[in-house]
Amino acid sequence: MTYCVGMMLDMGLVLMSDTRTNSGVDNISVFRKMFTWNVPGERVLTLLTAGNLASTQALVSQLEERMKAPDERDNIILKSPTMFQVATEIGRLLRTIVREQQDANGDKQRSRFSASIIVAGQIAGMEPRLFMIYPEGNFIEASGDTPFFQIGETKYGRPIILRAYDPAMRAEDAIKLLMVSFDSTLRANLSVGMPLDLQVIERDAFAVTHEQRVTFDDPYFQAISTSWSDALRSAFHSLPDYHFPEAGE
Amino acid sequence: MTYCVGMMLDMGLVLMSDTRTNSGVDNISVFRKMFTWNVPGERVLTLLTAGNLASTQALVSQLEERMKAPDERDNIILKSPTMFQVATEIGRLLRTIVREQQDANGDKQRSRFSASIIVAGQIAGMEPRLFMIYPEGNFIEASGDTPFFQIGETKYGRPIILRAYDPAMRAEDAIKLLMVSFDSTLRANLSVGMPLDLQVIERDAFAVTHEQRVTFDDPYFQAISTSWSDALRSAFHSLPDYHFPEAGE
């Protein structure tokens, strides 16, 4: 499994992904699921990937291949004039890759090759944008009503984001929120694992403004993990107490 | 979908279930998923059901039918000498019901007829016990390491139970905890819905000691729902702040 979150804030974009891939619980590896391309001062683009590793690696490799011929007309990353076109082209490429495997392997295996992608970034002269691309190649864009996307194991870490997210929050607070959300997920699902990749793309920087690999012995992550358990328990105890109704009530 | 939790505590058993069933989001109904049989002073038995409604209704109806002939040898509910045998017989009955539908409808529909059951109760002379029965008819029992079971939409409401559960907690606090867990689930999954059914079975009471249907306008549930959002946000803000590393760090 996987857990990735892309968050749109007033200050820009904050992204986090885990790095565990598994084929059964007895076969786990560390693979990066966050990929960035940057033309300094002009555009920055980050992909978060979930799903079949062969499919997502094929996607990233094909994007990389095209980077080696930057003058090619079909260089999605460098040549697309808008983020919308980037998402459209990556969606098309993803669909082709997933379909090819599905067609080659028959009906029963369809879901095995599936993959989802979060695309985040900004191109000069335009706003930062955030998309989620489905294995079918179509996609949706984040908006004020739904300002963040999760892919992979989304459920355990969702309630805290729903409650604490605020578009005006600082990047530091968004990182704190993501750490909490990832901590809840890591505790509940073995197939989501450390280290985590973290990235901040500030509005109009056209570059990655902060990047970090959070390892299992990261003191801040450990502090969050410990204090969150205590804070949750205190929050729980602060709630009004239940009383059994009196007889006759 | 469904959300049910059965919790084993030092004081006895605390159980909660939602009541929503749906076949598509445009076809929802209210159905009870908590069923109790009681021989006062001798045994009390409660089932929580998740999965295909026709399968779980068939199970409960067959158990009820057998209650009408209480002298029959195969009256599972009244005649089984131990909770373990109750679980074994209910598992056998569930497997038969699920298999019958699966065999009649072919391979592609197998998962559609599946159902899971939580069985909780106590028989005189023995300890209170809590089991989770799989659609295959086999089952597991709660223990000190895993003192609660969830069935249905289990993920959203799990982190808070993992962190706040304590076997020594009072029934009132367990109810508070379940209300929080259900609130998180109700907010995230439309197919889990109010009203909720709540039951407390105190150790050695051999009866349901407290029972309540929690409706959407229940003042305590509303208070929990509101205060939990605030408490979570305060808990989040109480965590240590993230700081970007200084240059050169």
Side-chain angles (χ1 to χ4, degrees):
Chain A
M1 203 89 175
T2 283
Y3 183 38
C4 300
V5 184
M7 228 175 232
M8 174 72 82
L9 298 163
D10 297 343
M11 58 65 58
L13 297 152
V14 180
L15 313 165
M16 197 177 254
S17 59
D18 85 314
T19 53
R20 179 159 294 175
T21 66
N22 70 302
S23 169
V25 285
D26 56 348
N27 184 1
I28 63 170
S29 324
V30 174
F31 277 97
R32 194 170 174 83
K33 300 170 190 175
M34 182 183 283
F35 304 90
T36 299
W37 294 271
N38 181 212
V39 181
E42 199 271 326
R43 65 177 63 201
V44 59
L45 260 175
T46 295
L47 261 59
L48 307 175
T49 64
N52 184 281
L53 184 65
S55 297
T56 59
Q57 283 203 348
L59 178 81
V60 172
S61 301
Q62 290 195 33
L63 292 173
E64 282 287 352
E65 276 300 306
R66 295 177 190 194
M67 291 296 285
K68 290 178 190 157
D71 295 333
E72 291 268 317
R73 194 178 50 81
D74 66 348
N75 188 304
I76 296 170
I77 301 292
L78 295 182
K79 297 285 151 132
S80 299
T82 65
M83 285 295 298
F84 183 83
Q85 282 198 26
V86 171
T88 307
E89 292 301 326
I90 291 179
R92 203 167 283 168
L93 190 54
L94 178 64
R95 178 174 54 227
T96 309
I97 290 166
V98 171
R99 282 236 180 113
E100 201 170 271
Q101 289 303 319
Q102 286 177 338
D103 292 346
N105 287 279
D107 248 9
K108 284 218 170 168
Q109 313 264 353
R110 295 199 80 73
S111 64
R112 282 191 51 195
F113 303 103
S114 145
S116 311
I117 309 283
I118 289 173
V119 180
Q122 187 180 12
I123 296 176
M126 284 166 283
E127 291 289 296
R129 293 174 79 174
L130 178 67
F131 298 90
M132 181 165 72
I133 305 181
Y134 298 105
E136 292 79 6
N138 57 350
F139 56 86
I140 56 176
E141 180 171 7
S143 65
D145 289 327
T146 301
F148 64 89
F149 289 132
Q150 304 168 285
I151 51 177
E153 175 57 278
T154 61
K155 294 187 178 182
Y156 298 111
R158 189 172 177 83
I160 185 60
I161 301 184
L162 283 180
R163 269 146 163 154
Y165 172 88
D166 176 351
M169 74 204 309
R170 301 177 311 143
E172 291 91 329
D173 292 328
I175 292 170
K176 181 158 97 170
L177 178 53
L178 287 174
M179 296 256 186
V180 171
S181 175
F182 272 74
D183 179 53
S184 292
T185 310
L186 289 161
R187 275 172 195 256
N189 188 330
L190 274 184
S191 70
V192 177
M194 304 283 278
L196 310 176
D197 286 313
L198 159 67
Q199 201 176 81
V200 179
I201 298 175
E202 265 175 47
R203 171 184 288 271
D204 298 336
F206 307 108
V208 172
T209 39
H210 175 62
E211 191 161 31
Q212 187 188 339
R213 174 152 280 202
V214 182
T215 53
F216 82 99
D217 57 353
D218 181 82
Y220 183 71
F221 185 80
Q222 288 192 341
I224 286 288
S225 185
T226 314
S227 354
W228 183 237
S229 282
D230 296 340
L232 260 190
R233 271 189 288 269
S234 311
F236 174 68
H237 289 299
S238 79
L239 294 178
D241 280 330
Y242 181 82
H243 297 286
F244 289 121
E246 303 292 321
E249 236 182 285
Chain B
M1 204 94 174
T2 283
Y3 183 38
C4 300
V5 184
M7 229 175 230
M8 175 72 82
L9 299 163
D10 296 344
M11 56 65 57
L13 296 153
V14 180
L15 313 165
M16 197 178 255
S17 60
D18 85 315
T19 53
R20 179 158 293 174
T21 66
N22 70 303
S23 169
V25 284
D26 55 349
N27 186 1
I28 63 170
S29 324
V30 174
F31 277 97
R32 195 170 173 84
K33 300 168 189 174
M34 181 182 282
F35 304 91
T36 300
W37 293 270
N38 181 211
V39 181
E42 199 271 325
R43 65 175 65 199
V44 58
L45 259 175
T46 294
L47 260 59
L48 306 175
T49 64
N52 183 281
L53 183 65
S55 297
T56 58
Q57 282 203 346
L59 177 81
V60 173
S61 301
Q62 290 194 33
L63 292 172
E64 282 288 352
E65 276 300 306
R66 294 177 190 195
M67 290 296 286
K68 290 178 189 153
D71 296 334
E72 291 269 315
R73 195 180 47 84
D74 65 349
N75 189 307
I76 296 171
I77 301 292
L78 295 182
K79 299 284 152 135
S80 298
T82 65
M83 285 295 299
F84 182 84
Q85 283 198 26
V86 171
T88 306
E89 292 301 325
I90 291 179
R92 201 167 287 169
L93 190 53
L94 178 65
R95 177 173 56 227
T96 309
I97 290 166
V98 171
R99 283 237 179 111
E100 202 170 87
Q101 288 304 319
Q102 286 176 338
D103 292 347
N105 286 279
D107 248 8
K108 285 218 170 170
Q109 313 266 354
R110 294 198 82 74
S111 65
R112 282 191 52 195
F113 302 103
S114 141
S116 309
I117 310 284
I118 289 174
V119 179
Q122 188 179 10
I123 295 175
M126 284 167 283
E127 291 290 295
R129 292 175 80 174
L130 177 67
F131 298 90
M132 181 165 71
I133 305 181
Y134 298 104
E136 292 78 7
N138 57 350
F139 56 87
I140 56 177
E141 180 171 7
S143 65
D145 289 327
T146 301
F148 65 89
F149 289 132
Q150 305 167 284
I151 51 177
E153 175 55 278
T154 60
K155 294 186 177 182
Y156 298 111
R158 190 172 176 84
I160 185 62
I161 301 184
L162 284 179
R163 270 145 162 154
Y165 172 89
D166 176 352
M169 74 202 309
R170 301 177 311 142
E172 291 91 328
D173 291 330
I175 291 171
K176 181 158 98 171
L177 178 53
L178 287 175
M179 296 257 186
V180 171
S181 176
F182 271 75
D183 179 54
S184 293
T185 310
L186 289 163
R187 275 171 195 257
N189 188 332
L190 275 183
S191 71
V192 177
M194 305 282 280
L196 310 175
D197 286 313
L198 159 67
Q199 200 175 84
V200 179
I201 297 175
E202 265 176 46
R203 170 185 287 270
D204 298 337
F206 307 109
V208 173
T209 39
H210 174 62
E211 190 161 31
Q212 186 188 340
R213 174 152 280 200
V214 183
T215 53
F216 82 100
D217 58 353
D218 181 83
Y220 182 71
F221 185 79
Q222 288 192 341
I224 287 290
S225 185
T226 314
S227 356
W228 183 237
S229 283
D230 296 342
L232 261 190
R233 271 189 289 268
S234 310
F236 174 68
H237 290 299
S238 78
L239 295 178
D241 280 329
Y242 181 83
H243 297 286
F244 288 121
E246 303 292 321
E249 234 181 282

